[in-house]
Amino acid sequence: LGAWSALYYAINFYVQVEEQNDQLMRLEAQATSAQLAMLRYQLNPHFLFNTLNSISTLVLLKQTEPANAMLSRLSSFLRYTLI
């Protein structure tokens, strides 16, 4: 009886440790995802402002071909990142 009880507690302990490891891995993945999302939210406005400012400068300098190319690349980038 003592051996069966010890085996039961050992298996139960092992299952609990595995569940805790799984939960820890999920939480670490969520934390990493949240950090990346926060970094994206911080960078996107600056990136968009700088890109639009560069396009505006090209338009003011009447460099329409590079401005058009930059607008096309920006629209492609936004299309892929917003989907």
Coordinates of all heavy atoms in Angstrom, one line a residue:
L1 N 0.8 -1.2 0.0 CA 0.0 0.0 0.0 C 0.9 1.3 0.0 O 0.6 2.2 -0.7 CB -0.9 0.0 1.2 CG -1.9 1.2 1.3 CD1 -2.9 1.2 0.1 CD2 -2.7 1.1 2.6
G2 N 1.9 1.2 0.8 CA 2.9 2.4 0.8 C 3.5 2.7 -0.5 O 3.7 3.8 -0.9
A3 N 3.9 1.6 -1.2 CA 4.5 1.8 -2.5 C 3.5 2.4 -3.5 O 3.9 3.2 -4.3 CB 5.0 0.4 -3.0
W4 N 2.3 1.9 -3.5 CA 1.2 2.5 -4.4 C 1.0 3.9 -4.1 O 0.8 4.8 -5.0 CB -0.1 1.7 -4.3 CG 0.0 0.3 -5.0 CD1 0.0 -0.9 -4.4 CD2 0.2 0.1 -6.4 NE1 0.1 -1.9 -5.3 CE2 0.2 -1.3 -6.5 CE3 0.3 0.9 -7.5 CZ2 0.4 -1.9 -7.8 CZ3 0.4 0.3 -8.7 CH2 0.5 -1.1 -8.9
S5 N 0.9 4.3 -2.8 CA 0.7 5.7 -2.4 C 1.9 6.5 -2.9 O 1.7 7.6 -3.4 CB 0.6 5.8 -0.9 OG -0.6 5.2 -0.5
A6 N 3.1 6.0 -2.7 CA 4.3 6.8 -3.2 C 4.3 6.9 -4.7 O 4.6 8.0 -5.2 CB 5.6 6.1 -2.7
L7 N 3.9 5.9 -5.4 CA 3.8 6.0 -6.9 C 2.8 7.0 -7.3 O 3.0 7.8 -8.2 CB 3.5 4.6 -7.5 CG 3.4 4.5 -9.0 CD1 4.8 4.9 -9.6 CD2 3.0 3.1 -9.4
Y8 N 1.6 7.0 -6.6 CA 0.6 7.9 -7.0 C 1.1 9.4 -6.8 O 0.9 10.2 -7.6 CB -0.7 7.7 -6.1 CG -1.7 8.8 -6.2 CD1 -2.5 8.9 -7.3 CD2 -1.8 9.7 -5.2 CE1 -3.5 9.9 -7.4 CE2 -2.7 10.8 -5.2 CZ -3.5 10.8 -6.3 OH -4.4 11.8 -6.4
Y9 N 1.7 9.6 -5.6 CA 2.1 11.0 -5.4 C 3.3 11.4 -6.3 O 3.4 12.6 -6.7 CB 2.6 11.1 -3.9 CG 1.4 11.2 -3.0 CD1 1.2 10.2 -2.0 CD2 0.5 12.3 -3.0 CE1 0.1 10.3 -1.2 CE2 -0.5 12.4 -2.1 CZ -0.8 11.3 -1.2 OH -1.9 11.4 -0.4
A10 N 4.1 10.5 -6.7 CA 5.2 10.8 -7.6 C 4.6 11.1 -9.0 O 5.0 12.1 -9.6 CB 6.1 9.6 -7.7
I11 N 3.6 10.3 -9.5 CA 3.0 10.6 -10.7 C 2.3 11.9 -10.7 O 2.3 12.8 -11.6 CB 2.1 9.5 -11.2 CG1 2.9 8.2 -11.5 CG2 1.2 9.9 -12.4 CD1 2.1 7.0 -11.7
N12 N 1.5 12.2 -9.6 CA 0.8 13.4 -9.5 C 1.7 14.6 -9.4 O 1.5 15.7 -10.1 CB -0.1 13.4 -8.2 CG -1.1 14.5 -8.1 OD1 -1.5 15.0 -9.1 ND2 -1.5 14.8 -6.9
F13 N 2.8 14.5 -8.8 CA 3.8 15.6 -8.7 C 4.4 15.8 -10.1 O 4.5 17.0 -10.5 CB 4.9 15.2 -7.7 CG 6.0 16.2 -7.6 CD1 5.8 17.4 -7.0 CD2 7.3 16.0 -8.3 CE1 6.8 18.4 -6.9 CE2 8.3 17.0 -8.2 CZ 8.0 18.2 -7.5
Y14 N 4.7 14.8 -10.8 CA 5.2 14.9 -12.2 C 4.2 15.6 -13.1 O 4.6 16.5 -13.8 CB 5.6 13.5 -12.7 CG 6.0 13.6 -14.2 CD1 7.3 14.0 -14.5 CD2 5.2 13.2 -15.2 CE1 7.7 14.0 -15.8 CE2 5.6 13.2 -16.5 CZ 6.8 13.7 -16.8 OH 7.2 13.7 -18.1
V15 N 3.0 15.3 -13.0 CA 2.0 15.9 -13.8 C 1.8 17.4 -13.5 O 1.7 18.2 -14.4 CB 0.6 15.2 -13.7 CG1 -0.5 16.0 -14.3 CG2 0.7 13.8 -14.3
Q16 N 1.9 17.7 -12.2 CA 1.8 19.1 -11.8 C 3.0 19.9 -12.3 O 2.8 21.1 -12.8 CB 1.7 19.2 -10.3 CG 0.4 18.8 -9.7 CD 0.3 18.9 -8.2 OE1 1.3 19.1 -7.5 NE2 -0.9 18.7 -7.6
V17 N 4.2 19.3 -12.2 CA 5.4 20.0 -12.7 C 5.3 20.3 -14.2 O 5.6 21.3 -14.7 CB 6.7 19.2 -12.3 CG1 7.9 19.7 -13.1 CG2 6.9 19.2 -10.8
E18 N 4.8 19.3 -14.9 CA 4.7 19.4 -16.4 C 3.6 20.5 -16.7 O 3.8 21.3 -17.6 CB 4.3 18.1 -17.0 CG 5.4 17.1 -17.1 CD 6.5 17.6 -17.9 OE1 6.3 18.0 -19.1 OE2 7.7 17.5 -17.5
E19 N 2.5 20.5 -16.0 CA 1.5 21.6 -16.2 C 2.1 23.0 -15.9 O 1.8 23.9 -16.7 CB 0.3 21.3 -15.4 CG -0.6 20.1 -15.9 CD -1.7 19.8 -14.9 OE1 -1.8 20.4 -13.8 OE2 -2.5 18.9 -15.3
Q20 N 2.9 23.1 -14.9 CA 3.5 24.4 -14.5 C 4.5 24.8 -15.6 O 4.5 26.0 -16.0 CB 4.1 24.3 -13.2 CG 3.2 24.3 -12.0 CD 3.8 24.2 -10.7 OE1 5.0 23.9 -10.6 NE2 3.1 24.3 -9.6
N21 N 5.2 23.8 -16.1 CA 6.2 24.1 -17.2 C 5.5 24.6 -18.5 O 5.9 25.6 -19.1 CB 7.1 22.9 -17.5 CG 8.1 22.7 -16.5 OD1 8.5 23.6 -15.8 ND2 8.6 21.5 -16.4
D22 N 4.4 23.9 -18.8 CA 3.6 24.3 -20.0 C 3.0 25.7 -19.8 O 3.0 26.6 -20.7 CB 2.4 23.3 -20.2 CG 2.9 22.0 -20.7 OD1 4.1 21.9 -21.2 OD2 2.1 21.0 -20.7
Q23 N 2.5 26.0 -18.6 CA 1.9 27.3 -18.3 C 3.0 28.4 -18.4 O 2.8 29.5 -18.9 CB 1.2 27.3 -16.9 CG 0.6 28.7 -16.6 CD -0.1 28.7 -15.3 OE1 0.1 27.8 -14.5 NE2 -0.9 29.7 -15.0
L24 N 4.2 28.1 -17.8 CA 5.3 29.0 -17.9 C 5.7 29.4 -19.3 O 5.9 30.5 -19.7 CB 6.5 28.5 -17.1 CG 7.7 29.4 -17.1 CD1 7.4 30.7 -16.4 CD2 8.9 28.6 -16.4
M25 N 5.7 28.3 -20.1 CA 6.1 28.6 -21.5 C 5.1 29.4 -22.2 O 5.4 30.3 -23.0 CB 6.3 27.2 -22.2 CG 7.5 26.5 -21.8 SD 7.7 24.8 -22.5 CE 7.9 25.3 -24.2
R26 N 3.8 29.2 -22.0 CA 2.7 30.0 -22.6 C 2.8 31.4 -22.1 O 2.6 32.3 -22.9 CB 1.3 29.4 -22.2 CG 0.9 28.2 -23.0 CD -0.5 27.8 -22.9 NE -1.0 27.7 -21.5 CZ -0.9 26.6 -20.8 NH1 -0.4 25.5 -21.3 NH2 -1.3 26.5 -19.5
L27 N 3.0 31.6 -20.8 CA 3.1 33.0 -20.3 C 4.4 33.7 -20.9 O 4.3 34.9 -21.2 CB 3.2 33.0 -18.8 CG 1.9 32.5 -18.1 CD1 2.1 32.4 -16.6 CD2 0.8 33.5 -18.4
E28 N 5.5 33.0 -21.0 CA 6.6 33.6 -21.6 C 6.4 34.0 -23.1 O 6.8 35.1 -23.5 CB 7.9 32.7 -21.5 CG 8.4 32.6 -20.1 CD 9.6 31.6 -20.0 OE1 9.7 30.8 -21.0 OE2 10.3 31.6 -19.0
A29 N 5.7 33.2 -23.8 CA 5.3 33.5 -25.2 C 4.4 34.7 -25.3 O 4.6 35.5 -26.1 CB 4.7 32.3 -25.9
Q30 N 3.5 34.8 -24.4 CA 2.5 35.9 -24.3 C 3.3 37.2 -24.0 O 3.0 38.2 -24.6 CB 1.4 35.7 -23.3 CG 0.4 34.7 -23.7 CD -0.6 34.4 -22.7 OE1 -0.5 34.9 -21.5 NE2 -1.7 33.7 -23.0
A31 N 4.2 37.1 -23.0 CA 5.0 38.3 -22.7 C 5.9 38.8 -23.8 O 5.9 40.0 -24.1 CB 5.9 38.0 -21.5
T32 N 6.5 37.8 -24.6 CA 7.3 38.2 -25.7 C 6.4 38.8 -26.8 O 6.8 39.8 -27.4 CB 8.0 37.0 -26.3 OG1 8.8 36.4 -25.3 CG2 8.8 37.3 -27.5
S33 N 5.2 38.3 -27.0 CA 4.3 38.8 -28.0 C 3.9 40.2 -27.6 O 3.8 41.1 -28.5 CB 3.1 37.9 -28.1 OG 2.2 38.4 -29.0
A34 N 3.6 40.4 -26.4 CA 3.1 41.7 -25.9 C 4.3 42.7 -26.0 O 4.0 43.9 -26.4 CB 2.7 41.6 -24.4
Q35 N 5.5 42.3 -25.7 CA 6.6 43.3 -25.9 C 6.8 43.6 -27.4 O 7.0 44.8 -27.7 CB 7.9 42.6 -25.4 CG 8.0 42.5 -23.9 CD 9.2 41.7 -23.4 OE1 9.8 41.0 -24.1 NE2 9.5 41.9 -22.1
L36 N 6.7 42.7 -28.3 CA 6.8 43.0 -29.7 C 5.7 43.9 -30.2 O 5.9 44.8 -31.0 CB 6.8 41.7 -30.5 CG 8.1 40.9 -30.4 CD1 7.9 39.5 -31.1 CD2 9.3 41.6 -31.0
A37 N 4.5 43.7 -29.7 CA 3.3 44.5 -30.0 C 3.6 45.9 -29.6 O 3.3 46.9 -30.3 CB 2.0 43.9 -29.5
M38 N 4.0 46.1 -28.4 CA 4.3 47.4 -27.8 C 5.4 48.1 -28.6 O 5.3 49.3 -28.9 CB 4.7 47.4 -26.3 CG 3.6 47.0 -25.4 SD 2.2 48.2 -25.5 CE 2.9 49.7 -25.1
L39 N 6.4 47.4 -29.0 CA 7.5 48.0 -29.9 C 6.9 48.4 -31.2 O 7.2 49.5 -31.7 CB 8.6 47.0 -30.0 CG 9.8 47.5 -30.8 CD1 10.4 48.7 -30.1 CD2 10.9 46.4 -30.9
R40 N 6.0 47.6 -31.8 CA 5.4 47.9 -33.1 C 4.6 49.2 -32.9 O 4.6 50.0 -33.8 CB 4.5 46.8 -33.5 CG 5.1 46.0 -34.7 CD 4.1 45.0 -35.2 NE 4.7 43.7 -35.0 CZ 4.2 42.7 -34.3 NH1 3.0 42.8 -33.8 NH2 4.8 41.6 -34.1
Y41 N 3.8 49.3 -31.8 CA 3.0 50.5 -31.7 C 3.8 51.7 -31.5 O 3.4 52.8 -31.8 CB 2.0 50.3 -30.5 CG 1.0 49.2 -30.7 CD1 0.7 48.3 -29.7 CD2 0.3 49.1 -31.9 CE1 -0.3 47.3 -29.8 CE2 -0.6 48.1 -32.1 CZ -0.9 47.2 -31.0 OH -1.9 46.3 -31.2
Q42 N 5.0 51.6 -30.9 CA 5.8 52.8 -30.7 C 6.5 53.1 -32.0 O 6.7 54.3 -32.3 CB 6.9 52.5 -29.7 CG 6.4 52.4 -28.3 CD 7.4 51.9 -27.3 OE1 8.6 51.7 -27.7 NE2 7.1 51.7 -26.0
L43 N 6.9 52.2 -32.8 CA 7.7 52.5 -34.0 C 6.8 52.9 -35.2 O 7.2 53.7 -36.0 CB 8.5 51.2 -34.4 CG 9.7 50.9 -33.5 CD1 10.3 49.6 -34.0 CD2 10.7 52.0 -33.5
N44 N 5.6 52.3 -35.3 CA 4.8 52.6 -36.5 C 4.5 54.1 -36.7 O 4.6 54.5 -37.8 CB 3.5 51.8 -36.4 CG 3.7 50.4 -36.8 OD1 4.7 50.0 -37.5 ND2 2.7 49.5 -36.6
P45 N 4.1 54.8 -35.7 CA 3.8 56.3 -36.0 C 5.1 57.0 -36.5 O 5.0 57.8 -37.4 CB 3.3 56.8 -34.6 CG 2.9 55.6 -33.9 CD 3.7 54.5 -34.3
H46 N 6.2 56.7 -35.9 CA 7.5 57.4 -36.3 C 7.8 56.9 -37.7 O 8.2 57.8 -38.6 CB 8.6 57.0 -35.4 CG 8.4 57.5 -34.0 ND1 8.3 58.9 -33.6 CD2 8.1 56.8 -32.8 CE1 8.1 59.0 -32.4 NE2 7.9 57.8 -31.8
F47 N 7.7 55.6 -38.0 CA 8.0 55.2 -39.3 C 7.1 55.8 -40.4 O 7.5 56.3 -41.4 CB 7.8 53.6 -39.4 CG 7.8 53.1 -40.8 CD1 9.0 52.9 -41.5 CD2 6.6 52.7 -41.3 CE1 8.9 52.4 -42.8 CE2 6.6 52.2 -42.6 CZ 7.7 52.0 -43.3
L48 N 5.8 55.8 -40.1 CA 4.8 56.4 -41.0 C 5.1 57.9 -41.2 O 5.1 58.4 -42.4 CB 3.4 56.2 -40.5 CG 2.3 56.5 -41.5 CD1 2.4 55.7 -42.8 CD2 0.9 56.2 -40.8
F49 N 5.3 58.6 -40.2 CA 5.6 60.1 -40.3 C 6.8 60.3 -41.1 O 6.8 61.1 -42.0 CB 5.8 60.7 -38.9 CG 6.2 62.1 -39.0 CD1 5.3 63.1 -39.3 CD2 7.6 62.5 -38.8 CE1 5.7 64.5 -39.3 CE2 8.0 63.8 -38.9 CZ 7.1 64.8 -39.2
N50 N 7.9 59.6 -40.8 CA 9.2 59.8 -41.6 C 9.0 59.4 -43.1 O 9.5 60.1 -44.0 CB 10.3 58.9 -41.0 CG 10.7 59.5 -39.7 OD1 10.5 60.6 -39.3 ND2 11.3 58.6 -38.9
T51 N 8.2 58.3 -43.3 CA 8.0 57.9 -44.7 C 7.2 59.0 -45.5 O 7.5 59.4 -46.6 CB 7.3 56.6 -44.8 OG1 8.1 55.6 -44.1 CG2 7.2 56.1 -46.2
L52 N 6.1 59.4 -44.9 CA 5.3 60.4 -45.5 C 6.0 61.7 -45.7 O 5.8 62.4 -46.7 CB 4.0 60.6 -44.7 CG 3.0 59.4 -44.7 CD1 1.8 59.7 -43.8 CD2 2.5 59.2 -46.1
N53 N 6.8 62.1 -44.7 CA 7.6 63.3 -44.8 C 8.6 63.2 -46.0 O 8.8 64.2 -46.8 CB 8.4 63.6 -43.5 CG 8.9 65.0 -43.5 OD1 8.3 65.9 -44.0 ND2 10.1 65.1 -42.8
S54 N 9.2 62.0 -46.2 CA 10.2 61.8 -47.3 C 9.4 61.9 -48.6 O 9.9 62.5 -49.6 CB 10.8 60.5 -47.2 OG 11.6 60.4 -46.0
I55 N 8.2 61.3 -48.7 CA 7.5 61.4 -49.9 C 7.1 62.8 -50.2 O 7.1 63.3 -51.4 CB 6.2 60.5 -49.8 CG1 6.7 59.0 -49.8 CG2 5.3 60.7 -51.0 CD1 5.6 58.0 -49.4
S56 N 6.7 63.6 -49.2 CA 6.3 65.0 -49.3 C 7.5 65.8 -49.9 O 7.3 66.6 -50.8 CB 5.8 65.5 -48.0 OG 5.6 66.9 -48.1
T57 N 8.6 65.5 -49.4 CA 9.8 66.2 -49.8 C 10.1 65.9 -51.3 O 10.4 66.8 -52.1 CB 11.1 65.8 -49.0 OG1 10.8 66.2 -47.6 CG2 12.3 66.6 -49.4
L58 N 10.0 64.7 -51.7 CA 10.2 64.3 -53.1 C 9.2 65.0 -54.0 O 9.5 65.5 -55.1 CB 10.1 62.8 -53.2 CG 11.3 62.0 -52.7 CD1 10.9 60.5 -52.8 CD2 12.5 62.3 -53.4
V59 N 7.9 65.1 -53.5 CA 6.9 65.8 -54.3 C 7.2 67.3 -54.5 O 7.1 67.8 -55.6 CB 5.5 65.6 -53.7 CG1 4.5 66.5 -54.4 CG2 5.1 64.1 -53.8
L60 N 7.6 67.9 -53.4 CA 8.0 69.3 -53.4 C 9.2 69.6 -54.3 O 9.2 70.6 -55.0 CB 8.3 69.8 -52.0 CG 7.1 70.0 -51.1 CD1 7.6 70.4 -49.7 CD2 6.2 71.0 -51.6
L61 N 10.1 68.6 -54.4 CA 11.3 68.7 -55.3 C 10.9 68.3 -56.7 O 11.8 68.3 -57.6 CB 12.4 67.9 -54.7 CG 13.0 68.4 -53.4 CD1 14.1 67.4 -52.9 CD2 13.5 69.8 -53.5
K62 N 9.7 68.0 -56.9 CA 9.2 67.5 -58.3 C 9.9 66.3 -58.8 O 10.1 66.1 -59.9 CB 9.3 68.6 -59.3 CG 8.5 69.9 -58.9 CD 8.3 70.8 -60.1 CE 7.7 72.1 -59.7 NZ 6.5 72.1 -58.9
Q63 N 10.3 65.4 -57.8 CA 10.9 64.1 -58.1 C 9.7 63.0 -58.1 O 9.6 62.3 -57.1 CB 12.0 63.8 -57.2 CG 13.2 64.7 -57.3 CD 14.3 64.4 -56.4 OE1 14.3 63.4 -55.7 NE2 15.3 65.2 -56.4
T64 N 8.9 63.1 -59.1 CA 7.7 62.3 -59.0 C 7.9 60.8 -59.2 O 7.2 60.0 -58.5 CB 6.7 62.7 -60.2 OG1 7.4 62.6 -61.4 CG2 6.2 64.1 -59.9
E65 N 8.9 60.4 -59.9 CA 9.1 58.9 -60.1 C 9.6 58.3 -58.7 O 9.0 57.3 -58.3 CB 10.1 58.6 -61.2 CG 9.5 58.8 -62.6 CD 10.5 58.3 -63.7 OE1 11.2 57.3 -63.4 OE2 10.5 58.9 -64.7
P66 N 10.6 58.9 -58.1 CA 10.9 58.3 -56.8 C 9.8 58.4 -55.7 O 9.6 57.4 -54.9 CB 12.1 59.1 -56.3 CG 12.7 59.8 -57.5 CD 11.5 59.9 -58.4
A67 N 9.0 59.5 -55.8 CA 7.9 59.6 -54.9 C 6.8 58.5 -55.2 O 6.3 57.9 -54.2 CB 7.3 61.0 -55.0
N68 N 6.5 58.3 -56.4 CA 5.6 57.3 -56.8 C 6.1 55.9 -56.4 O 5.3 55.1 -55.9 CB 5.3 57.3 -58.3 CG 4.2 56.5 -58.7 OD1 3.3 56.2 -57.9 ND2 4.2 56.0 -60.0
A69 N 7.3 55.6 -56.6 CA 7.9 54.3 -56.2 C 7.8 54.1 -54.7 O 7.4 53.0 -54.2 CB 9.3 54.2 -56.7
M70 N 8.1 55.2 -53.9 CA 8.0 55.1 -52.5 C 6.6 54.9 -52.0 O 6.3 54.1 -51.1 CB 8.7 56.4 -51.8 CG 8.9 56.2 -50.4 SD 9.7 57.7 -49.7 CE 11.4 57.4 -50.2
L71 N 5.6 55.6 -52.6 CA 4.2 55.4 -52.3 C 3.8 54.0 -52.6 O 3.0 53.4 -51.8 CB 3.4 56.4 -53.1 CG 3.2 57.8 -52.5 CD1 2.5 58.7 -53.4 CD2 2.5 57.7 -51.1
S72 N 4.2 53.4 -53.7 CA 3.9 52.1 -54.0 C 4.4 51.1 -53.0 O 3.7 50.2 -52.5 CB 4.4 51.7 -55.4 OG 3.7 52.5 -56.4
R73 N 5.7 51.3 -52.6 CA 6.3 50.4 -51.6 C 5.6 50.5 -50.2 O 5.4 49.6 -49.5 CB 7.8 50.7 -51.5 CG 8.6 50.2 -52.7 CD 10.1 50.1 -52.5 NE 10.6 51.4 -52.1 CZ 11.2 52.3 -53.0 NH1 11.3 51.9 -54.3 NH2 11.6 53.4 -52.6
L74 N 5.3 51.8 -49.9 CA 4.6 52.0 -48.6 C 3.2 51.3 -48.6 O 2.9 50.7 -47.6 CB 4.4 53.5 -48.3 CG 3.7 53.9 -47.1 CD1 4.4 53.4 -45.8 CD2 3.5 55.4 -47.0
S75 N 2.5 51.5 -49.7 CA 1.2 50.9 -49.8 C 1.3 49.3 -49.7 O 0.5 48.7 -49.0 CB 0.4 51.3 -51.0 OG 1.0 50.8 -52.2
S76 N 2.3 48.8 -50.3 CA 2.5 47.3 -50.3 C 2.8 46.9 -48.8 O 2.3 45.9 -48.3 CB 3.6 46.9 -51.2 OG 3.2 47.1 -52.5
F77 N 3.7 47.6 -48.2 CA 4.1 47.3 -46.8 C 2.9 47.4 -45.9 O 2.7 46.5 -45.1 CB 5.2 48.3 -46.4 CG 5.5 48.2 -44.9 CD1 6.3 47.2 -44.5 CD2 5.0 49.1 -44.0 CE1 6.6 47.0 -43.1 CE2 5.3 49.0 -42.7 CZ 6.1 48.0 -42.2
L78 N 2.1 48.5 -46.0 CA 0.9 48.6 -45.2 C -0.1 47.5 -45.4 O -0.7 47.0 -44.5 CB 0.3 50.0 -45.3 CG 1.1 51.1 -44.8 CD1 0.5 52.5 -45.1 CD2 1.3 51.0 -43.3
R79 N -0.3 47.1 -46.7 CA -1.2 46.1 -47.0 C -0.8 44.8 -46.4 O -1.6 44.0 -45.8 CB -1.2 45.9 -48.6 CG -2.3 45.0 -49.1 CD -2.4 45.0 -50.6 NE -2.5 46.3 -51.2 CZ -1.6 46.8 -52.0 NH1 -0.5 46.2 -52.3 NH2 -1.7 48.0 -52.5
Y80 N 0.5 44.4 -46.4 CA 0.9 43.2 -45.8 C 1.0 43.2 -44.3 O 0.7 42.2 -43.6 CB 2.3 42.8 -46.3 CG 2.2 42.3 -47.7 CD1 2.9 43.0 -48.7 CD2 1.5 41.2 -48.1 CE1 2.8 42.6 -50.1 CE2 1.5 40.8 -49.4 CZ 2.1 41.5 -50.4 OH 2.0 41.1 -51.7
T81 N 1.2 44.4 -43.7 CA 1.3 44.4 -42.2 C -0.1 44.6 -41.5 O -0.2 44.2 -40.4 CB 2.2 45.6 -41.7 OG1 1.7 46.8 -42.3 CG2 3.6 45.4 -42.1
L82 N -1.0 45.1 -42.3 CA -2.3 45.3 -41.7 C -3.3 44.1 -41.9 O -4.3 44.1 -41.3 CB -3.0 46.6 -42.3 CG -2.3 47.9 -41.9 CD1 -3.0 49.0 -42.6 CD2 -2.2 48.1 -40.4
I83 N -2.9 43.2 -42.6 CA -3.7 42.0 -42.9 C -3.5 41.0 -41.7 O -2.5 40.8 -41.2 CB -3.4 41.3 -44.2 CG1 -3.8 42.2 -45.3 CG2 -4.0 39.9 -44.3 CD1 -3.5 41.7 -46.7

